[in-house]
């Protein structure tokens, strides 16, 4: 007990944390038994979330109880987000310079509450809550390893297959969804123009393209695919570029200054040092903002593909 208390005051990284508490290391994670409960800690410094703590327990029918308790304890535990499903609960600790000390505190508090409320521990199946006997299997659900009855594993595996088949069979309304992505791009162009005419820097509006396009793509019946990412980003680029050109064209028409055409005025303005700098700033920052949206879309695509739990047999 004294050694465990000493470890709680020590600053850890993932490797030393796992070693200190007798947990098994994995890729960007560690897992094992903590105060009688199966736990899993994932730490990816630049991930979203950066840290995810999972405690496995049979919670079917009591998910709302766990969710409400986590909400009440949000400030005390210093967690940014939390949730509960039929086979356990998950929390995301807030970013900290000493993440693993906070993780240890969170795990102690959660496991103490689960034990007090009679939630099943590591010696029971998280699917049915019954004691684990000889007829059990080492498995993982959404990359969280634990033990369960063979029959419960088979049931979870079949449910996963049915969910994936249903998603694959769902119609992808790609043409209509592409229109949604285009409307997102149009919104980005409109915002670009608004910011441009306010203070000659429209790039801030470009960020709306991928986000609004993705939302409308989904609303119009599109599925989470690589095509969605490509369509939302490409149309955002095209619409933003078109919006920028229209801004330059309107400005040139309003002040030709003796030039034969608006195109000649645009070329002359860009040839100046101030015009060139403005062009570079708007183009570069528009690309950066759309790139941020693209990264978010890729992350969302990856997350959607993992939203249906990946149930695997480990042994």
């Amino acid at each position: 007990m004294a050694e465990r208390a000493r470890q709680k005051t020590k600053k850890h990284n993932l490797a030393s944390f796992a070693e200190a508490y007798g947990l098994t290391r994995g890729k960007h994670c560690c897992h094992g038994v903590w105060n009688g409960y199966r736990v899993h800690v994932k730490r990816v410094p630049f991930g979203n979330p950066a840290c995810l703590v999972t405690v496995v327990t049979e919670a079917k029918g009591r998910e709302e109880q766990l969710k409400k308790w986590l909400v009440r304890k949000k400030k005390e535990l210093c967690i940014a987000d939390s949730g509960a499903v039929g086979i356990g609960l998950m929390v995301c600790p807030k970013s900290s310079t000493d993440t693993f000390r906070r993780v240890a505190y969170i795990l102690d508090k959660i496991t103490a509450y689960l034990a007090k409320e009679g939630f099943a521990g590591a010696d029971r199946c998280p699917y049915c809550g019954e004691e684990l006997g000889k007829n059990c299997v080492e498995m993982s659900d959404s990359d969280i390893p634990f033990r369960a009855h063979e029959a419960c594993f088979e049931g979870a595996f079949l449910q996963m297959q049915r969910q994936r088949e249903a998603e694959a069979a769902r119609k992808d309304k790609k043409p209509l969804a592409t229109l949604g992505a285009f409307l997102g791009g149009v919104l980005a162009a409109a915002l670009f123009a608004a910011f441009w005419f306010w203070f000659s820097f429209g790039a801030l509006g470009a960020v709306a393209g991928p986000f609004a396009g993705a939302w409308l793509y989904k609303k119009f019946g599109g599925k989470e695919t690589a095509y969605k990412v490509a369509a939302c980003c490409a149309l955002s680029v095209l619409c933003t570029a078109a919006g920028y050109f229209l801004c330059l064209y309107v400005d040139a028409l309003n002040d030709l200054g003796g030039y034969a055409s608006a195109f000649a005025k645009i070329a002359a303005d860009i040839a100046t040092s101030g015009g060139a700098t403005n062009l570079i700033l708007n183009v570069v920052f528009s690309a950066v903002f759309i790139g941020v949206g693209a990264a978010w879309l890729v992350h969302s695509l990856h997350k959607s593909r993992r939203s249906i739990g990946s149930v695997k047999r480990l042994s």
Side-chain angles (χ1 to χ4, degrees):
M1 290 296 291
E3 174 62 20
R4 191 175 179 90
R6 187 182 71 81
Q7 293 296 345
K8 289 186 187 332
T9 63
K10 183 179 177 181
K11 191 169 184 177
H12 290 288
N13 57 26
L14 181 62
S16 65
F17 177 79
E19 182 179 1
Y21 293 101
L23 304 176
T24 302
R25 278 291 309 276
K27 185 178 180 181
H28 303 303
C29 70
C30 60
H31 57 88
V33 177
W34 189 288
N35 294 338
Y37 288 87
R38 291 269 180 179
V39 302
H40 183 272
V41 180
K42 184 175 182 180
R43 171 67 170 161
V44 183
F46 297 103
N48 184 22
C51 184
L52 180 64
V53 178
T54 304
V55 182
V56 179
T57 184
E58 195 271 320
K60 194 176 299 180
R62 302 175 71 183
E63 296 95 334
E64 287 304 314
Q65 176 187 344
L66 289 176
K67 290 177 183 178
K68 290 178 181 178
W69 182 78
L70 289 169
V71 169
R72 290 199 306 271
K73 295 293 182 177
K74 185 174 182 178
K75 185 175 181 180
E76 178 187 341
L77 298 178
C78 289
I79 54 178
D81 199 5
S82 62
V85 294
I87 58 171
L89 57 87
M90 302 77 63
V91 299
C92 303
K94 291 182 178 179
S95 298
S96 169
T97 56
D98 196 1
T99 298
F100 291 101
R101 186 184 298 175
R102 180 172 295 173
V103 168
Y105 177 79
I106 289 171
L107 286 173
D108 279 345
K109 288 292 184 180
I110 289 177
T111 52
Y113 174 77
L114 294 177
K116 177 184 175 184
E117 295 296 317
F119 282 87
D123 59 339
R124 293 179 178 271
C125 176
Y127 289 105
C128 66
E130 299 297 324
E131 286 190 16
L132 292 167
K134 294 182 179 180
N135 192 24
C136 61
V137 58
E138 295 284 346
M139 61 167 290
S140 69
D141 192 332
S142 302
D143 294 329
I144 311 298
F146 53 87
R147 297 173 71 211
H149 292 128
E150 179 80 28
C152 293
F153 164 76
E154 294 293 344
F157 186 80
L158 289 174
Q159 183 181 7
M160 175 196 71
Q161 286 186 316
R162 286 194 292 266
Q163 288 176 330
R164 289 185 173 176
E165 289 168 359
E167 176 60 21
R170 185 171 69 85
K171 187 177 180 180
D172 187 4
K173 300 178 182 179
K174 191 177 290 184
L176 188 60
T178 303
L179 173 61
F182 173 72
L183 293 176
V186 170
L187 175 63
L191 290 173
F192 187 103
F195 284 117
W196 170 267
F197 289 118
W198 281 337
F199 46 88
S200 298
F201 184 70
L204 289 171
V207 73
F211 294 98
W215 185 77
L216 290 169
Y217 189 99
K218 183 177 180 179
K219 281 293 182 181
F220 286 12
K223 297 174 70 173
E224 291 287 344
T225 61
Y227 174 81
K228 172 186 175 180
V229 176
C232 291
C233 294
L235 289 170
S236 293
V237 170
L238 290 174
C239 290
T240 301
Y244 187 21
F245 173 76
L246 286 174
C247 290
L248 294 173
Y249 188 77
V250 170
D251 265 358
L253 282 179
N254 289 334
D255 183 21
L256 282 175
Y259 288 92
S261 69
F263 296 105
K265 181 66 166 62
I266 291 172
D269 287 343
I270 292 175
T272 66
S273 60
T277 300
N278 190 287
L279 174 69
I280 291 170
L281 287 175
N282 276 284
V283 170
V284 169
F285 278 95
S286 291
V288 168
F289 290 140
I290 291 174
V292 170
W296 175 78
L297 285 173
V298 171
H299 171 73
S300 296
L301 175 62
H302 180 68
K303 187 176 180 180
S304 71
R305 288 177 173 175
R306 294 171 60 86
S307 62
I308 299 174
S310 178
V311 178
K312 300 176 184 177
R313 182 191 295 268
L314 301 179
S315 66

